Amino acid sequence: MRPTVFILFVLYLPLAESATLQVENQSNYLAILITSAGGSLCTPNEQQLRPCLILPLSRRAYALSDAQALSATLRLISLPQAHETDMSSLQKHAFKSVSDFTYQPVGPLRYEQVRCETPMNEGVSINIVLVDVMDVTCSTATDRHISWVYKRNDVNLKFIVKDLPAKQR
């Protein structure tokens, strides 16, 4: 009788976890700087002194809170020096390409909104993946500005930044 009770108990546990944000930097020469407006996405700890800076060829994942709204911008930065430490001075080297998201898990209207924009001449693409829902890339003249809102707040977000191949002349 006990195993049956245990099985029934497991069936009533919530199946969905909090949404996550994954940022994958596949660029060889750009870093990604995340700036948050509201909420705390990049809280420093002993292992990550600069958790909001994602260096070339690296990735980072963040858990999004079920109880806290959050807006953040992902800026692409050309690193002037490998040892640059001042986060505010890094913004001087920002590209025009940008991506951002708003995560609203509380209140009467719950939603996630994502956007990306890439000028044609910066040689970079931003791939937005709504895990198990949609995959969109900002990289050409026809899709360099994409924006949409969806009324779910449990979709895992993934941003992938890639270098575009050089154009043949």
Side-chain angles (χ1 to χ4, degrees), residues 28-73:
N28 289 302
Y29 61 94
L30 294 176
I32 301 169
L33 179 64
I34 301 175
T35 55
S36 300
S40 56
L41 181 64
C42 308
T43 306
N45 61 34
E46 297 81 30
Q47 288 78 36
Q48 299 173 339
L49 298 177
R50 297 182 295 178
C52 286
L53 182 64
I54 303 168
L55 296 174
L57 303 174
S58 63
R59 63 181 68 182
R60 186 143 313 131
Y62 305 92
L64 301 177
S65 168
D66 283 337
Q68 186 179 47
L70 177 67
S71 290
T73 302

Side-chain angles (χ1 to χ4, degrees), residues 77-107:
I77 305 292
S78 177
L79 288 175
Q81 297 175 356
H83 62 277
E84 182 75 59
T85 58
D86 182 15
M87 299 291 265
S88 61
S89 71
L90 285 174
Q91 295 196 42
K92 294 185 296 190
H93 307 283
F95 274 40
K96 291 180 181 175
S97 298
V98 68
S99 193
D100 56 41
F101 72 93
T102 301
Y103 176 69
Q104 176 64 41
V106 293

Side-chain angles (χ1 to χ4, degrees), residues 52-166:
C52 286
L53 182 64
I54 303 168
L55 296 174
L57 303 174
S58 63
R59 63 181 68 182
R60 186 143 313 131
Y62 305 92
L64 301 177
S65 168
D66 283 337
Q68 186 179 47
L70 177 67
S71 290
T73 302
L74 284 71
R75 300 190 189 286
L76 307 185
I77 305 292
S78 177
L79 288 175
Q81 297 175 356
H83 62 277
E84 182 75 59
T85 58
D86 182 15
M87 299 291 265
S88 61
S89 71
L90 285 174
Q91 295 196 42
K92 294 185 296 190
H93 307 283
F95 274 40
K96 291 180 181 175
S97 298
V98 68
S99 193
D100 56 41
F101 72 93
T102 301
Y103 176 69
Q104 176 64 41
V106 293
L109 178 61
R110 300 166 189 231
Y111 66 93
E112 295 176 12
Q113 174 177 325
V114 291
R115 182 184 70 89
C116 62
E117 184 174 355
T118 56
M120 291 177 63
N121 61 351
E122 287 192 330
V124 68
S125 73
I126 301 172
N127 190 10
I128 297 178
V129 180
L130 308 179
V131 178
D132 297 330
V133 177
M134 189 174 223
D135 186 332
V136 179
T137 302
C138 294
S139 64
T140 67
T142 57
D143 67 359
R144 63 182 171 175
H145 185 86
I146 299 169
S147 179
W148 76 95
V149 177
Y150 50 100
K151 294 183 179 182
R152 291 180 59 182
N153 65 335
D154 60 348
V155 176
N156 294 316
L157 303 176
K158 181 187 266 189
F159 293 90
I160 303 170
V161 175
K162 298 178 185 177
D163 301 328
L164 293 178

